[in-house]
Amino acid sequence: MSVALKSWRANEGPKHLIMMVWVAANVFLFWRTFVLYYSGAQYYYLHEMLGLGLCISRASASVLNFNCSLVLLPMCRLMLTFLRGSQRITSRRVRRLLDKSKTFHVACGVTICIFSVVHVCAHLVNMVSFSVRYSEDFPALNVAQYRGQDPRVLIISTVPGVTGVLLVLVLFLMFTASSYSIRVSSYDIFWYTHNLFIVFYIILMVHVAGGTLKYQSNVEAHPPGCMHKNLSSDSWTNHRAAGEKGVEFSGGPQTVCQEEARFQPHFPQTWLWVSAPLCLYCAERLYRFIRSSAAPATVVSVVSHPCDVIELRMLKSGFKPRPGQYILLNCPSVSSFENHPFTLTTCPTGKNETFGIHLRVLGDWTSRFSQLLLQQSNISEILPMMQQRRYPTVHVDGPFGSPSEEVFNYEVSLCVAGGIGVTPFACVLQALFDDWCQYKLRRLYFVWVCRDLQSFYWFADLLCGLHERLWRDNRPDYLNVQLYLSNTQELQSIGEERYRFLSSRLRIGRPKWKLLFQEIGRANQLKRVGVFCCGPKGISKALHTLCNSNPHSGTAFEFNKESFS
């Protein structure tokens, strides 16, 4: 139980701690603002007119300001990559926490949507109150021009009303297009609508500058509830209620007002919340655009692999990625604005300056891109250099950090891949093939599950080459390879002689994850094992559960899931 608690604390503790702090900050901001507008003397007359609608609308606005400032930070890829690579600055626990950046971004986005609904509903009530409770004694507070004015007219005739409608429309498009089904089926729709964020923030700045809600600026000279000869009987009754409500003011409810109440709009505070994160994100996006566009990558070779997978080798000056990182690929001939993430399967070395990716043809963008790469050619070999002029222009943005970088920072690591999800670990295997001695890693368990036997040929040469090198270096126990063919309808085998090692590691069916964890636990007691997964949700969920409930004494499993933000 203590080891399971240790594993759970390592996997879930920091994440839940951050979420608790974030939730507490939201609750504090909501409650503090609610109480301020409910009992604050400067808002007494406004609260008498609008009631709880005022308190809820302003409290939800504080939560929106807070989350609108945070939602951009998890998407600052360069900043996250720098923090991940600065091992002297951040510990492994903090670096692993950066892997949850996308989750935090989604949490902030959902919170913005929820409290936007609350904010809109509260302001709809406020518009009705402005019409019904029109004040003749304090005309500066009124938004309506007369009592009983249609609230719909107030919405379309005020700056906050019009901009509020536009903000709701933009947010609705961004939220609906972010659903999993749309991201998978039509990524371009997700991409274009999500980039409406800049329109959202521009409208937001205009929205808060409307100055609809006003506070009393001379509370000392005109305490709430003071008596004034020009007040109507209804207003005097409301002012007497100030003492019953508990509003503190000098002179008591029957104090004579020294001057007329003066009201003025608040200085907009939203820009104080969002300006710094927005400027940081926009500056990073601009820098990345200039960096990727200044020197397009040179396509050196294209290889067509089985199961609709294409290997792309490129060359770019000054490009120095680390194993496990990923890039964003842009091809203007396909789409000028779409950038798609691909894990590096080969990194530049002293002997070879090219880097490579493997992409599976699945979807509109990859289909059009593959046609441009392989047009007028049906061969599966590396195309000669003289034909490079046929390749489309490719811009590479990155590299960016990913959880797979941490594979080398454990003495024992377990890498689990499902299908094309093997790509994050291909670069790791290539780095070990080049020089495994320079890393802390001393044992690697590699599990690869595929539906089609031909998929194993993508990196068959790399796996066999690494196995042979480790045998020459007298470290045959360094690499433990397990290949699983999940499609049991057609029993097949890897028959080539040069792939005898892979044939001996091939198993039919699905892995027995619990037995695998038991084996690793017995062989690596009193150690921390890094578990890395890139594959279907079913595999990821099973591994995550086992990492948190591991019963083996002395072995802690730390779960890391590959997720491109």
Side-chain angles (χ1 to χ4, degrees):
M1 179 64 69
S2 61
V3 178
L5 180 60
K6 182 180 179 182
S7 297
W8 185 92
R9 188 176 60 221
N11 293 320
E12 312 296 336
K15 176 182 67 176
H16 288 294
L17 177 61
I18 293 296
M19 293 302 292
M20 288 175 60
V21 172
W22 172 71
V23 170
N26 281 284
V27 172
F28 171 75
L29 285 172
F30 187 93
W31 178 249
R32 187 192 67 171
T33 308
F34 185 95
V35 172
L36 175 64
Y37 279 84
Y38 183 82
S39 59
Q42 67 271 39
Y43 304 109
Y44 171 74
Y45 294 118
L46 187 61
H47 180 261
E48 284 295 318
M49 178 183 292
L50 302 181
L52 289 179
L54 170 68
C55 306
I56 295 176
S57 64
R58 300 314 303 155
S60 58
S62 295
V63 176
L64 289 172
N65 286 337
F66 179 57
N67 286 276
C68 284
S69 67
L70 293 179
V71 72
L72 292 176
L73 294 179
M75 295 295 101
C76 294
R77 290 185 171 92
L78 288 181
M79 179 182 68
L80 297 180
T81 302
F82 170 78
L83 293 176
R84 188 189 299 275
S86 303
Q87 298 191 16
R88 295 181 179 180
I89 299 177
T90 59
S91 65
R92 183 171 67 190
R93 181 172 297 181
V94 176
R95 293 197 305 272
R96 292 180 64 241
L97 192 60
L98 297 177
D99 301 337
K100 307 298 181 182
S101 58
K102 181 180 178 182
T103 302
F104 187 67
H105 171 75
V106 173
C108 291
V110 172
T111 303
I112 290 173
C113 293
I114 293 175
F115 279 90
S116 292
V117 173
V118 176
H119 186 71
V120 169
C121 292
H123 270 311
L124 290 178
V125 174
N126 289 340
M127 288 301 173
V128 175
S129 299
F130 273 126
S131 175
V132 175
R133 301 178 182 177
Y134 181 86
S135 175
E136 297 178 355
D137 299 307
F138 305 106
L141 281 179
N142 294 317
V143 173
Q145 297 178 355
Y146 54 87
R147 185 184 299 273
Q149 186 178 9
D150 191 342
R152 292 172 293 185
V153 175
L154 299 181
I155 295 176
I156 62 176
S157 61
T158 58
V159 173
V162 174
T163 55
V165 173
L166 294 177
L167 286 172
V168 170
L169 292 176
V170 173
L171 192 61
F172 176 78
L173 291 175
M174 294 176 65
F175 180 76
T176 54
S178 300
S179 62
Y180 177 78
S181 57
I182 293 182
R183 283 188 287 115
V184 172
S185 60
S186 301
Y187 183 84
D188 52 341
I189 296 178
F190 162 75
W191 174 257
Y192 289 123
T193 55
H194 230 57
N195 278 277
L196 290 174
F197 80 94
I198 189 64
V199 178
F200 176 85
Y201 279 99
I202 292 175
I203 299 176
L204 181 63
M205 296 299 185
V206 179
H207 177 73
V208 299
T212 301
L213 302 179
K214 302 175 182 179
Y215 71 99
Q216 184 182 347
S217 59
N218 60 337
V219 176
E220 295 182 358
H222 185 109
C226 66
M227 183 175 62
H228 196 281
K229 62 181 180 180
N230 293 329
L231 292 180
S232 64
S233 59
D234 291 340
S235 299
W236 169 240
T237 302
N238 291 336
H239 291 180
R240 291 184 60 187
E244 300 175 2
K245 178 182 173 182
V247 177
E248 295 183 0
F249 50 84
S250 60
Q254 296 184 351
T255 302
V256 178
C257 304
Q258 300 179 16
E259 59 183 41
E260 294 281 352
R262 295 196 300 270
F263 302 94
Q264 65 182 43
H266 270 294
F267 180 77
Q269 296 183 351
T270 299
W271 73 272
L272 296 174
W273 286 91
V274 304
S275 58
L278 183 61
C279 291
L280 175 63
Y281 181 78
C282 291
E284 179 182 298
R285 284 284 294 266
L286 178 62
Y287 170 75
R288 285 167 43 196
F289 174 78
I290 295 174
R291 183 182 64 174
S292 61
S293 302
T298 302
V299 178
V300 176
S301 64
V302 178
V303 181
S304 180
H305 288 286
C307 304
D308 293 328
V309 170
I310 296 176
E311 179 183 358
L312 188 64
R313 291 293 185 95
M314 294 169 284
L315 181 66
K316 183 176 181 179
S317 176
F319 187 72
K320 298 179 180 180
R322 297 189 298 267
Q325 293 187 322
Y326 72 96
I327 61 173
L328 294 177
L329 201 63
N330 173 269
C331 180
S333 300
V334 179
S335 175
S336 300
F337 301 102
E338 289 187 47
N339 296 270
H340 291 259
F342 294 98
T343 309
L344 292 170
T345 52
T346 306
C347 283
T349 62
K351 300 179 181 179
N352 188 358
E353 295 184 354
T354 63
F355 60 95
I357 61 171
H358 284 63
L359 60 93
R360 188 163 194 169
V361 182
L362 184 65
D364 297 337
W365 191 91
T366 52
S367 297
R368 295 195 299 268
F369 186 49
S370 63
Q371 291 173 3
L372 292 174
L373 292 174
L374 300 176
Q375 63 183 353
Q376 300 178 357
S377 177
N378 295 321
I379 60 175
S380 58
E381 299 86 21
I382 297 178
L383 300 179
M385 292 289 289
M386 66 182 63
Q387 297 185 19
Q388 285 185 11
R389 62 182 181 274
R390 297 192 303 108
Y391 296 135
T393 301
V394 174
H395 298 289
V396 173
D397 185 13
F400 304 109
S402 76
S404 299
E405 293 184 69
E406 295 294 323
V407 172
F408 305 105
N409 296 325
Y410 294 90
E411 289 188 13
V412 181
S413 291
L414 167 63
C415 296
V416 179
I420 195 63
V422 71
T423 53
F425 311 123
C427 203
V428 172
L429 296 173
Q430 184 65 54
L432 296 176
F433 178 81
D434 293 334
D435 186 9
W436 61 271
C437 299
Q438 64 174 313
Y439 300 108
K440 178 181 179 181
L441 184 65
R442 286 298 171 259
R443 181 170 297 174
L444 176 64
Y445 294 87
F446 178 72
V447 181
W448 188 7
V449 185
C450 292
R451 295 180 180 178
D452 196 314
L453 183 69
Q454 298 299 314
S455 300
F456 294 117
Y457 287 94
W458 299 339
F459 299 102
D461 292 325
L462 175 59
L463 286 169
C464 292
L466 178 58
H467 171 71
E468 293 175 1
R469 166 156 189 182
L470 292 173
W471 268 90
R472 291 196 304 266
D473 294 344
N474 197 27
R475 281 302 309 272
D477 61 337
Y478 188 97
L479 178 65
N480 185 316
V481 176
Q482 299 181 23
L483 307 179
Y484 289 88
L485 184 62
S486 60
N487 185 5
T488 59
Q489 296 180 355
E490 297 181 6
L491 300 181
Q492 306 176 60
S493 63
I494 303 176
E496 290 86 344
E497 179 65 23
R498 57 176 177 164
Y499 300 140
R500 179 185 298 179
F501 165 69
L502 299 184
S503 180
S504 64
R505 298 295 189 272
L506 181 63
R507 304 175 185 181
I508 307 299
R510 299 181 182 275
K512 306 295 184 182
W513 299 116
K514 189 173 183 180
L515 295 178
L516 176 62
F517 272 67
Q518 291 176 355
E519 174 189 343
I520 297 176
R522 286 192 298 266
N524 303 279
Q525 295 186 12
L526 303 178
K527 292 183 179 180
R528 288 184 177 270
V529 178
V531 180
F532 299 84
C533 176
C534 185
K537 288 185 177 180
I539 295 179
S540 175
K541 184 177 180 180
L543 295 177
H544 196 176
T545 302
L546 285 172
C547 286
N548 290 338
S549 59
N550 169 54
H552 300 287
S553 60
T555 306
F557 291 87
E558 297 185 355
F559 182 74
N560 303 267
K561 183 180 182 299
E562 193 74 27
S563 177
F564 301 115
S565 56

